[in-house]
């Protein structure tokens, strides 16, 4: 009659029970022990990375590291330059045309896909920046 072997693990108590022949127990005990030690190390890393709330005020020195740069590009005067987004570009094109602009014309001028243009135009129309003249044709608000 062959002896049955099994390994049981209780995740709540983290207990391992190995039953079987002596060779089976020796083989798998070492493997499981090394796996569990690797798991406990990886499980501890995220907890060690957690920090409390950062204090406001001066930043601590980071040694020889360069200081952080502020967001936004600056012109010669020192004021941040405004980024031109796809929404801004499309709204400008539509507002520049008196009789309106079609989505196909916007597609050619901007290089965006129809899906992107429809999404932008719908959002701009809901915000009141442009108006829908008819299907596929948009004009200034």
């Amino acid at each position: 009659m062959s002896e049955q072997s099994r390994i049981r693990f209780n995740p709540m108590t983290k207990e391992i029970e190995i039953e079987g022949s002596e060779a089976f127990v020796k083989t798998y005990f070492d493997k499981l022990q090394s796996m569990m030690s690797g798991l406990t190390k990886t499980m501890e890393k995220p907890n060690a990375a957690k920090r409390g709330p950062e204090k406001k005020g001066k930043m601590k020195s980071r040694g020889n590291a360069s200081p952080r740069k502020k967001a936004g590009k600056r012109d010669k005067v020192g004021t941040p330059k405004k980024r031109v987004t796809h929404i801004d570009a499309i709204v400008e094109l539509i507002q520049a045309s008196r009789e309106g602009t079609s989505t196909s014309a916007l597609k050619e001028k901007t290089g965006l896909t129809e899906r992107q243009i429809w999404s932008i135009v719908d959002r701009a129309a809901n915000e009141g920046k442009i108006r829908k003249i008819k299907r596929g044709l948009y004009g200034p608000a």
Side-chain angles (χ1 to χ4, degrees), residues 43-63:
M43 289 171 64
E44 290 173 3
K45 285 182 184 177
N47 293 339
K50 288 184 180 178
R51 291 189 268 169
E54 293 185 21
K55 295 179 182 177
K56 292 184 180 179
K58 293 184 180 180
M59 289 179 42
K60 292 183 180 179
S61 173
R62 294 187 286 156

Side-chain angles (χ1 to χ4, degrees), residues 34-74:
S34 65
M35 284 174 46
M36 289 303 292
S37 66
L39 283 176
T40 55
K41 287 179 186 176
T42 57
M43 289 171 64
E44 290 173 3
K45 285 182 184 177
N47 293 339
K50 288 184 180 178
R51 291 189 268 169
E54 293 185 21
K55 295 179 182 177
K56 292 184 180 179
K58 293 184 180 180
M59 289 179 42
K60 292 183 180 179
S61 173
R62 294 187 286 156
N64 294 334
S66 62
R68 291 184 182 175
K69 294 183 179 180
K70 293 184 180 179
K73 295 186 178 184
R74 300 193 173 263

Side-chain angles (χ1 to χ4, degrees), residues 118-134:
W118 288 335
S119 176
I120 291 168
V121 164
D122 186 52
R123 191 177 314 138
N126 288 340
E127 291 175 5
K129 295 179 180 178
I130 60 172
R131 65 183 175 90
K132 295 180 182 180
I133 299 172
K134 65 179 186 178

Side-chain angles (χ1 to χ4, degrees), residues 1-59:
M1 189 167 142
S2 66
E3 186 179 322
Q4 290 189 353
S5 304
R6 69 177 181 177
I7 300 172
R8 290 175 29 183
F9 175 68
N10 185 345
M12 298 301 280
T13 60
K14 295 188 173 104
E15 292 178 339
I16 301 171
E17 183 182 328
I18 304 173
E19 293 180 8
S21 66
E22 189 174 337
F24 178 82
V25 171
K26 284 183 180 179
T27 304
Y28 285 98
F29 178 75
D30 292 334
K31 288 181 181 180
L32 289 170
Q33 194 171 20
S34 65
M35 284 174 46
M36 289 303 292
S37 66
L39 283 176
T40 55
K41 287 179 186 176
T42 57
M43 289 171 64
E44 290 173 3
K45 285 182 184 177
N47 293 339
K50 288 184 180 178
R51 291 189 268 169
E54 293 185 21
K55 295 179 182 177
K56 292 184 180 179
K58 293 184 180 180
M59 289 179 42

